[in-house]
């Protein structure tokens, strides 16, 4: 579960997923990702009376969850600004007192709150902020390294780059090929148990962090690196470019949400043309890996009826001459087939 | 000296430039930049007995410098790793005790060293770390804003992007056009008295920092924004791209060092083709400003004889159909002429 060179987490599953007073599905994106990709780690959910959503897991109290075998409570809910409410702070302290470690993907760090740090110390429990990068990251070297790497890139933020990388990890492993998901965001880090929140590192170290996430490997396996942002997103493209250069990907999968009308959060910026987006990513990737190849398109079709989703995949697949699938509703077997056909077993 | 929205420095000139035990010219790059661009602010230099270089300024002691009217000592020397030696710490404390503020562009921050912080408090003096970005930077919005902006971009790091932007500021001001240099690195910040060290901000905020550095202006003047790195530098391209997007430049000047054989620090990466580099910068800049235009090429010809320097400028200028000059040895008047011809007065 941990990449060579990336610190192993001092906390771990089984998990209790804290949903608190979550008002809607978007706010529990982290908990949902964890429950979807690592159901075997998730023993239950903890909700306040005014919580408006559910993951369908058993509702359990803190002490009961500890008795059931949970080691760690995951704060899997985000509100605007990523700040912890007084209720969340109180529940976090109660969890520590019940004997659970606590991990969080919020901007507002557990380790920056004296009350929470004191409760963790008093109860001998661990705190982990998934959005805090480890200190001492190196500057990127651009040096070629052993191993095979695939990076998921996107037309926009939140189009399925993490789901696609995780689906490819599962598919390759099922075929007996060594494969490791490499996490670059808070949800991915909680799913993988390791990783670096690439958007939170100091700007000079973006590509160095990407090199650290996916170190040299000699087993002919694949690193499936979680992409972030988009080269065409005016707020975050620097992160995407540094990640692309540091990853030195052999293969790219382009991720896209076909009903999206503008870049996330920016009503005046249209979604880029798919072909132009692929070309820009390939051109930039060639700087550190001239042999990079596109191997597929991943569509997030959750907002389309099934027949339109199928038609969109066929149309876009034909345009690129590459497999095009929705990793959640259709799987990624055709993309995996093409990856293996292009690079060997 | 300060951009709207960018904090005004609590320290300022006149300056004493601290060179310490500097072994070579490269190590006093910050002090040299300050002495070159703001000679009127620099009253003297302070050197230890083993200092191997000089700026040609009067050598003065700490107390004497205070008596001469200096307000602030600038640590204008860097060693490998940007760490302060015990001698530098002792000299810094002595400067504070002599009544000087102290500013530094080193990675090793003044404000992180308890002894130095205590001496500043005890003597009522200010400390300023030019490499520490201010907290609370916004995420980039990509929203068009008033004003005219020129960004210097480069084939590599350390090819003259700061010198070119400062030379254009001086040239435009001499012609009566409002113009402000906008600093993005530690030396530039000390020269300007304000700015944001763009390579030290958290990755998610690169373009937001660039927007903050060059806010809307309504006086028909120019912001001359100091570029960083290169889109073709595998270690730092993310910084360069975020800065390009956030700057929304109307005009680009491409900076180049014609004797450089490989990317700085990376022997296996060749310098990019000049035309490909300009095209890549224009293509990326169009995302946030579709009307961006190239207005000139700035060559750092310090490693060439004068006749070869002149020939290189003529050859490259003809290739692009743009003025090409060395800002230090030839000035930037032809580039300024072309800027005004392209955009009006």
């Amino acid at each position: 579960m941990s990449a060579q060179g990336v610190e192993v987490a001092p906390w771990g599953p089984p998990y209790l997923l804290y949903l608190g007073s979550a008002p809607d599905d978007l706010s529990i994106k982290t908990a949902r990702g964890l429950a979807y990709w690592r159901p075997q780690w998730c023993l239950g959910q903890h909700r306040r009376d005014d919580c408006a959503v559910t993951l369908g897991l058993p509702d359990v109290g803190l002490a009961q969850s500890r008795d059931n075998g949970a080691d760690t409570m995951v704060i899997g809910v985000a509100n605007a600004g990523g700040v912890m409410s007084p209720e969340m702070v109180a529940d976090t302290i109660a969890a520590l007192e019940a004997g659970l470690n606590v991990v969080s993907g919020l901007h507002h760090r557990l380790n920056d709150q004296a009350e929470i740090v004191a409760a963790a110390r008093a109860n001998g429990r661990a705190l982990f902020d998934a959005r805090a990068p480890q200190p001492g990251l190196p500057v990127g070297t651009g040096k070629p390294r052993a191993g095979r790497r695939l990076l998921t890139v996107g037309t926009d933020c939140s189009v399925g780059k993490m789901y696609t990388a995780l689906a490819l990890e599962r598919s390759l492993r099922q075929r007996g090929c060594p494969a490791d998901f490499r996490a670059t965001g808070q949800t991915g880090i909680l799913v993988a148990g390791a990783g670096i929140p690439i958007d939170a590192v100091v700007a000079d170290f973006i590509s160095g962090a990407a090199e650290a996430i996916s170190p040299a490997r000699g087993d002919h396996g694949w690193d499936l690196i979680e992409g972030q942002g988009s080269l065409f997103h005016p707020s975050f493209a620097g992160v995407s470019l540094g990640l692309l250069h540091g990853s030195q990907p052999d293969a790219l999968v382009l991720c896209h949400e076909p009903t999206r009308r503008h870049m996330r959060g920016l009503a005046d910026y249209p979604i880029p043309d798919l072909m132009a987006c692929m070309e820009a990513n390939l051109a930039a990737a060639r700087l550190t890996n001239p042999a990079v190849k596109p191997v597929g398109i991943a569509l997030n079709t959750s907002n389309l009826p099934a027949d339109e989703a199928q038609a969109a995949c066929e149309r876009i697949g034909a345009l690129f001459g590459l497999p095009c699938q929705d990793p959640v509703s259709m799987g990624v077997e055709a993309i995996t087939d093409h990856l293996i056909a292009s690079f060997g077993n």
Side-chain angles (χ1 to χ4, degrees), chain A residues 27 30 75-85 88 92 103-110 113 128-132 186 190:
Chain A
S27 65
T30 291
I75 300 181
V77 56
N79 47 15
V83 171
M84 287 182 78
S85 65
M88 287 172 77
T92 298
V103 314
S104 163
L106 294 173
H107 271 295
H108 194 186
R109 295 181 186 166
L110 299 171
Q113 300 179 69
F128 177 71
D129 289 295
R131 265 194 178 249
Q186 69 271 24
L190 295 179

Side-chain angles (χ1 to χ4, degrees), chain A residues 31-46:
Chain A
R32 190 172 295 283
L34 203 43
Y36 183 86
W37 285 105
R38 298 293 183 256
Q40 70 278 22
W41 293 355
C42 301
L43 299 189
Q45 62 188 14
H46 186 66

